[in-house]
Amino acid sequence: FFFQAEDGIRDYKVTGVQTCALPISGLIDVLSGEVDVESAIVHKESPDIDVLPAGNMLNADAEMLEGGAFKRLLHQLESMYDVVVIDGPPVLLASDSQLIANHADAIVMVVRAMSEQRGMVARVARQLQGHRAELLGLILNGVKSSAGGYFRKNYQDFYRYNQASIDLAARRKATGTKR
């Protein structure tokens, strides 16, 4: 995981759980050889998750993600964990995500509903083509389902379809017919 630093203090959240608010070591420090990965990993009990914070962003350099140290670190993490998730910056704002895509197996884009300009998602997808990682799809966040519209209509359609299936099954059971 990569997290943004603010004044040397890391305050990040994983699945809604605050994990740390101290100046700590992380990815940058591991790649620069200042600490080993085991001492930089932060473990949380609830949820049971390990996080490798960004580390000292003053020493951060995008080229660190191109070097052999990053590749070796990913191989080490892959041997330690079933799944390794890397949270990168927006693709259009920083080169880091494209550098990470050269080492990752898969990419999932996160897009905020109603805030991205038309064509932006397609542009990002085109930029990520040709990298090692396969684009699996996207996560649409910030959706306001209570406002109605697409999600409300689909839920209503699903409810009507499901209720009709239940009613049909009850009629068939009552009459003893199978089809």
Side-chain angles (χ1 to χ4, degrees):
F1 287 93
F2 297 112
F3 296 94
Q4 298 298 320
E6 195 170 300
D7 299 328
I9 302 293
R10 310 305 182 270
D11 187 11
Y12 51 87
K13 294 183 179 185
V14 177
T15 61
V17 176
Q18 183 173 344
T19 53
C20 188
L22 300 169
I24 55 173
S25 299
L27 174 70
I28 304 304
D29 308 291
V30 172
L31 294 178
S32 65
E34 295 177 27
V35 297
D36 64 359
V37 69
E38 288 85 4
S39 63
I41 291 174
V42 177
H43 179 73
K44 292 303 296 176
E45 296 294 327
S46 179
D48 186 17
I49 190 168
D50 288 350
V51 177
L52 178 60
N56 185 352
M57 297 304 286
L58 297 176
N59 298 330
D61 186 6
E63 285 76 35
M64 295 177 104
L65 301 174
E66 290 180 301
F70 185 61
K71 189 174 187 174
R72 287 188 298 278
L73 174 62
L74 288 179
H75 286 298
Q76 182 179 359
L77 293 172
E78 287 171 352
S79 70
M80 295 168 61
Y81 299 98
D82 295 330
V83 176
V84 176
V85 176
I86 303 171
D87 180 17
V91 174
L92 296 177
L93 297 180
S95 63
D96 299 23
S97 292
Q98 292 186 40
L99 296 173
I100 294 166
N102 288 324
H103 300 284
D105 295 326
I107 298 171
V108 176
M109 274 195 297
V110 178
V111 179
R112 180 161 302 281
M114 306 303 289
S115 69
E116 306 302 344
Q117 291 183 354
R118 177 173 274 165
M120 187 278 309
V121 174
R123 180 176 166 201
V124 170
R126 281 191 306 274
Q127 274 192 286
L128 293 172
Q129 286 178 343
H131 291 280
R132 176 177 180 252
E134 176 186 0
L135 180 60
L136 298 181
L138 63 91
I139 296 172
L140 184 63
N141 68 9
V143 174
K144 295 180 181 175
S145 61
S146 62
Y150 179 79
F151 288 100
R152 182 175 182 184
K153 181 184 179 323
N154 280 346
Y155 180 77
Q156 289 171 340
D157 290 346
F158 169 77
Y159 179 79
R160 281 191 293 270
Y161 174 80
N162 193 40
Q163 191 60 47
S165 297
I166 291 170
D167 294 344
L168 179 61
R171 281 193 305 271
R172 286 182 178 159
K173 184 176 181 181
T175 61
T177 58
K178 293 189 180 194
R179 286 267 167 187

